[in-house]
Amino acid sequence: MLNIADLHVYYGGIHALEGISLEVPANKIITLIGANGAGKSTTLRAICGLVKAAAGSITFQGEDITRAPTTQIVQKGITMVPEGRRVFPDLTVLENLYLGAYTRKNSGVKRDLDWVFSLFPRLKERKGQLAGTLSGGEQQMLAVGRALMANPTLLMMDEPSLGLAPLLVQEIFNIIKEIHSEGKTILLIEQNARAALQLADYGYVLETGRIVLSGTGKELLVRDEVRKVYLGEE
Ligand SMILES: Nc1ncnc2c1ncn2[C@@H]1O[C@H](COP(=O)(O)OP(=O)(O)OP(=O)(O)O)[C@@H](O)[C@H]1O
Ligand SMILES: [Mg+2]
């Protein structure tokens, strides 16, 4: 579904991605793990067209989107839940959700709203509340719900569990499973490497702008390098 080949990204003089290649097949959950500053968010930003690729290519469903504008990329079916719950604080929960659907012309919006409310009953209870007054966990749910309102084919999530209490982390991972079972393809970035690798079909390990390891979730969970550096095991 998504194919990245030899992608390079710079921020001024900083070479943030030094030629990464990866694949996201349809209907799979793929995870990208790596330390702070490795280039995970940059990879998602490049896919969305929010940062420019200096070299390499990004292909989505057979189409080159390397230099396409973000609005076009969203319309083609890629949506991102950005790092750090960027909801619109002065808008209500419902208004935030409808904004997620703004590029859509079709009539499935109401159906997807019902789906989001069934995934996150808490959002339904609080649909009239200003997003800025939601708890951190609720804002994270809203950020995921808003992304789903775009009816993406490929849903990309940048650290959805960051800063959440353990119970809520588990809930978010369960919801990712459920979203996947509804036919969405998922590219997931996580600091919580163990949970991500347990969930994912395939994973890539990013280290300072390069992919240094890849394999099925199960394979990576037992690799010494992964266990020491990302799972904190001896
Ligand atoms: N707007 C920017 N201007 C300059 N440098 C940037 C910018 N955004 C990111 N970088 C640098 O690019 C590198 C990769 O950053 P990126 O945000 O992709 O890392 P990350 O893997 O998502 O890390 P984290 O786990 O901390 O979120 C870092 O060295 C970072 O400082
Ligand atoms: Mg990041």
Side-chain angles (χ1 to χ4, degrees), residues 11 14 16 35-42 45 83 159 191:
Y11 294 107
I14 299 171
N36 294 122
K40 304 180 299 296
S41 299
T42 301
R45 278 183 221 130
E83 211 169 7
E159 309 209 19
Q191 291 274 337

Side-chain angles (χ1 to χ4, degrees), residues 143-162:
V144 175
R146 190 180 57 192
L148 289 175
M149 289 300 290
N151 189 27
T153 309
L154 172 63
L155 177 66
M156 308 197 294
M157 287 185 258
D158 195 344
E159 309 209 19
S161 78
L162 191 72

Side-chain angles (χ1 to χ4, degrees), residues 156-200:
M156 308 197 294
M157 287 185 258
D158 195 344
E159 309 209 19
S161 78
L162 191 72
L164 301 184
L167 258 176
L168 206 48
V169 171
Q170 195 47 55
E171 194 180 326
I172 284 279
F173 275 90
N174 287 340
I175 284 165
I176 294 171
K177 251 188 242 172
E178 203 171 324
I179 293 169
H180 173 246
S181 72
E182 290 288 321
K184 305 285 185 200
T185 303
I186 294 175
L187 178 55
L188 173 68
I189 291 186
E190 263 295 331
Q191 291 274 337
N192 191 336
R194 185 185 314 277
L197 291 173
Q198 279 166 351
L199 181 68

Side-chain angles (χ1 to χ4, degrees), residues 53-67:
S57 69
I58 306 170
T59 314
F60 180 62
Q61 295 182 317
E63 229 180 309
D64 185 354
I65 57 162
T66 319
R67 273 158 197 91

Side-chain angles (χ1 to χ4, degrees), residues 29-204:
I29 302 180
I30 304 301
T31 189
L32 202 54
I33 63 173
N36 294 122
K40 304 180 299 296
S41 299
T42 301
T43 304
L44 296 199
R45 278 183 221 130
I47 295 168
C48 287
L50 295 171
V51 294
K52 211 172 103 231
S57 69
I58 306 170
T59 314
F60 180 62
Q61 295 182 317
E63 229 180 309
D64 185 354
I65 57 162
T66 319
R67 273 158 197 91
T70 301
T71 46
Q72 249 180 47
I73 293 171
V74 174
Q75 264 162 355
K76 287 181 199 299
I78 302 181
T79 308
M80 165 162 75
V81 181
E83 211 169 7
R85 321 160 178 161
R86 304 242 185 84
V87 298
F88 296 102
D90 299 329
L91 298 182
T92 65
V93 166
L94 195 60
E95 287 165 342
N96 268 276
L97 290 173
Y98 275 122
L99 269 179
Y102 86 104
T103 57
R104 292 174 67 177
K105 300 176 194 77
N106 56 28
S107 55
V109 174
K110 181 66 177 67
R111 183 202 59 210
D112 284 340
L113 184 65
D114 290 340
W115 180 43
V116 167
F117 281 154
S118 73
L119 287 172
F120 302 107
R122 189 82 67 94
L123 293 183
K124 188 173 185 180
E125 284 164 24
R126 290 162 187 272
K127 63 186 172 192
Q129 189 172 328
L130 292 182
T133 64
L134 293 173
S135 76
E138 290 163 352
Q139 289 187 29
Q140 187 61 52
M141 294 174 194
L142 180 56
V144 175
R146 190 180 57 192
L148 289 175
M149 289 300 290
N151 189 27
T153 309
L154 172 63
L155 177 66
M156 308 197 294
M157 287 185 258
D158 195 344
E159 309 209 19
S161 78
L162 191 72
L164 301 184
L167 258 176
L168 206 48
V169 171
Q170 195 47 55
E171 194 180 326
I172 284 279
F173 275 90
N174 287 340
I175 284 165
I176 294 171
K177 251 188 242 172
E178 203 171 324
I179 293 169
H180 173 246
S181 72
E182 290 288 321
K184 305 285 185 200
T185 303
I186 294 175
L187 178 55
L188 173 68
I189 291 186
E190 263 295 331
Q191 291 274 337
N192 191 336
R194 185 185 314 277
L197 291 173
Q198 279 166 351
L199 181 68
D201 295 292
Y202 202 84
Y204 293 88

